[in-house]
């Protein structure tokens, strides 16, 4: 039987991806400005001819008349046109914020569990509580939630490589088995079963179209065991060769669709595609954990 992707409309997801290089649509930009949509911060700046200032789309100031408003690509273009930055919304800080979030994501990708919020925020030059809000707004996850997901991903990778639980604990850099087992709870089966290729496990799967591409989702009776972009059931079979793979029934598919629908695609247009994809997968896994 062919296992093609369901070409129905992508599942509704609580966010969308913004292309940084897309031309500015004045009507869409005005609508974003009127609604103070933070998702458009960093995609363009708003110029106000009556005051000669430029703002973020989400600026909290009272909205000027439409005929006084224009849209430019960034602060540099606005300054070249004779505008100055708004002192209320500090539009030039958008680039600094985005750079800090990208750097923090990279640090968390490489961290083995020792990086606190205070240390993470200090490493990118922000106060902890402010950076917590900034990171969560840009990515849809808290730093702690993303760090937890990265650890679980490393645990799964170590088990795939080692096929031995004890060896995987040390290969993944864990100082204590208890932390490893806590993170491995996201596998949908015991670490020993995962290391053995899913021996004795029934794994139901389906493919879901999303704004980021085809999403493979698989679960066991314990919960989600895999979510992956641009991989089909063949990849699942290679990962868990000893498991019994079945197409999800209606109830299982509905459950998986709820997880995907609850996940927020990162809205920050400045985030690289690789980071947006990793964050989306992390959000699906977080939604599955929350529903357990």
């Amino acid at each position: 039987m062919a296992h093609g992707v369901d070409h129905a409309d992508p599942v509704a997801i609580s966010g969308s991806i913004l292309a940084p290089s897309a031309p500015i649509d004045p009507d869409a930009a005005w609508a974003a400005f009127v609604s103070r949509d933070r998702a458009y911060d960093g995609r363009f700046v708003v110029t106000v001819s009556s005051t000669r200032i430029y703002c973020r789309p989400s600026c909290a100031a009272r909205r000027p008349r439409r005929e006084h408003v224009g849209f430019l690509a960034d602060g540099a273009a606005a300054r070249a046109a004779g505008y100055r930055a708004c002192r209320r919304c500090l539009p030039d800080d958008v680039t600094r914020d985005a750079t800090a979030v990208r750097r923090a994501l990279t640090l968390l990708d490489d961290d083995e569990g020792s990086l606190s919020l205070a240390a993470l925020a200090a490493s990118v030059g922000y106060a902890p509580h402010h950076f917590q809000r900034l990171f969560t707004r840009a990515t849809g996850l808290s730093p702690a939630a993303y760090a937890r997901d990265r650890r679980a991903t490393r645990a799964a990778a170590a088990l795939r490589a080692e096929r031995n639980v004890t060896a995987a604990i040390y290969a993944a850099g864990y100082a204590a088995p208890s932390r490893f087992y806590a993170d491995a709870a996201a596998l949908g089966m015991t670490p020993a079963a995962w290391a053995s290729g899913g021996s004795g496990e029934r794994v139901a799967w389906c493919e879901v179209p999303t704004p980021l591409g085809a999403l493979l989702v698989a679960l066991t009776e314990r919960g989600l065991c895999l979510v992956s972009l641009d991989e089909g059931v063949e990849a699942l079979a290679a990962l868990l060769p000893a498991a019994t793979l079945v197409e999800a029934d209606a109830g299982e598919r509905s459950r998986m669709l709820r997880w995907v629908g609850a996940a927020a695609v990162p809205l920050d247009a400045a985030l690289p595609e690789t980071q947006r994809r990793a964050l989306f997968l992390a959000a699906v896994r977080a939604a599955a954990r929350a529903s357990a």
Side-chain angles (χ1 to χ4, degrees):
M1 177 173 58
H3 299 301
V5 176
D6 182 355
H7 293 288
D9 291 337
V11 64
I13 293 173
S14 56
S16 60
I17 298 172
L18 305 173
S21 59
I24 299 171
D25 178 335
D27 292 334
W30 172 252
F33 182 47
V34 169
S35 63
R36 294 180 171 84
D37 191 341
R38 289 183 181 274
Y40 284 79
D41 287 355
R43 189 178 183 187
F44 59 83
V45 296
V46 181
T47 60
V48 184
S49 60
S50 56
T51 59
R52 304 305 296 174
I53 66 169
Y54 65 93
C55 305
R56 305 184 189 211
S58 67
C59 183
R62 183 173 60 85
R63 277 6 192 185
R65 296 173 63 176
R66 177 66 180 89
E67 59 265 29
H68 295 157
V69 173
F71 308 101
L72 292 173
D74 52 33
R79 291 191 297 276
Y83 292 87
R84 61 178 176 81
C86 173
R87 294 179 180 175
R88 182 169 186 172
C89 69
L90 303 174
D92 295 335
D93 281 358
V94 173
T95 299
R96 176 175 175 257
D97 291 349
T99 299
V101 170
R102 288 198 301 270
R103 174 61 179 154
L105 287 167
T106 300
L107 289 171
L108 291 172
D109 285 342
D110 297 336
D111 179 52
E112 294 183 351
S114 60
L115 197 59
S116 66
L117 173 62
L120 179 67
S123 70
V124 295
Y126 285 76
H129 293 303
H130 176 64
F131 188 68
Q132 169 99 355
R133 292 192 298 271
L134 173 68
F135 185 98
T136 304
R137 186 171 65 234
T139 68
L141 294 170
S142 69
Y146 185 71
R148 182 168 56 250
D149 184 80
R150 292 297 86 199
R151 290 195 306 269
T153 300
R154 282 193 294 274
L159 284 166
R160 285 198 298 270
E162 300 295 335
R163 294 298 185 188
N164 176 280
V165 177
T166 301
I169 290 172
Y170 294 104
Y174 283 84
S178 58
R179 172 60 67 85
F180 175 86
Y181 281 100
D183 292 339
L187 296 172
M189 61 186 74
T190 66
W194 184 273
S196 70
S199 179
E201 296 289 339
R202 175 189 179 276
V203 178
W205 63 272
C206 72
E207 290 179 309
V208 182
T210 78
L212 285 170
L215 185 73
L216 175 67
V217 189
L219 60 76
T220 68
E221 64 177 11
R222 292 188 179 205
L224 181 72
C225 71
L226 181 73
V227 58
S228 179
L229 284 162
D230 300 329
E231 289 187 319
V233 66
E234 296 81 8
L236 180 63
L239 177 66
L240 300 172
T244 300
L245 304 186
V246 297
E247 288 193 65
D249 61 29
E252 291 165 334
R253 182 177 176 85
S254 175
R255 187 180 177 193
M256 290 187 271
L257 288 175
R258 285 198 300 273
W259 296 339
V260 178
V265 174
L267 293 170
D268 193 329
L271 290 176
E273 179 73 8
T274 53
Q275 290 185 340
R276 287 200 298 265
R277 289 165 68 90
L279 284 161
F280 175 52
L281 294 177
V284 176
R285 288 187 285 262
R289 285 194 301 272
S291 70

